Amino acid sequence: RADTAAMGKHFGNLARVRHVISYSLSPFEQQAFPNVLSHSVPNVGRRFASQVLKVVPPLALGYLIYSWGTQEFERLKRKNPADYECDQ
């Protein structure tokens, strides 16, 4: 590789950085999804249970107010038939 040495340094070796320590782990030692079923699923359940009482009551209250408001709007939109009995 005498021809590449004459052109300069490669992209990964453009600068020399001192006093920086980097560590890496071999891809053969890594596990993509270690303990997914034994740790992650219970952790999701624990997080959901800890937050459900903070989230559900305001959402339920908002839904009840919204449904009451739409029902009341539909009720008030209708004409009262008793007001028009003598108009014939």
Side-chain angles (χ1 to χ4, degrees), residues 3-4 8 11 13-14 17 26 29 32 34-36 67 74 85-86:
D3 58 325
T4 58
F11 184 76
N13 300 323
L14 292 178
V17 180
S26 169
E29 295 181 19
N35 307 321
V36 170
S67 64
E74 292 296 327
E85 288 178 351
C86 299

Side-chain angles (χ1 to χ4, degrees), residues 61-71:
L61 182 66
Y63 175 75
L64 290 174
I65 291 172
Y66 175 77
S67 64
W68 171 81
T70 53
Q71 288 174 357

Side-chain angles (χ1 to χ4, degrees), residues 25-88:
L25 185 64
S26 169
F28 300 106
E29 295 181 19
Q30 296 179 11
Q31 293 178 348
F33 296 103
N35 307 321
V36 170
L37 295 178
S38 63
H39 288 103
S40 300
V41 174
N43 192 27
V44 169
R46 180 186 56 82
R47 287 183 175 193
F48 178 79
S50 69
Q51 297 296 320
V52 72
L53 292 177
K54 295 178 185 175
V55 175
V56 171
L59 288 176
L61 182 66
Y63 175 75
L64 290 174
I65 291 172
Y66 175 77
S67 64
W68 171 81
T70 53
Q71 288 174 357
E72 187 69 11
F73 174 72
E74 292 296 327
R75 186 184 69 81
L76 293 174
K77 208 165 59 166
R78 309 261 319 153
K79 292 180 180 178
N80 186 5
D83 293 343
Y84 303 100
E85 288 178 351
C86 299
D87 288 348
Q88 295 176 358

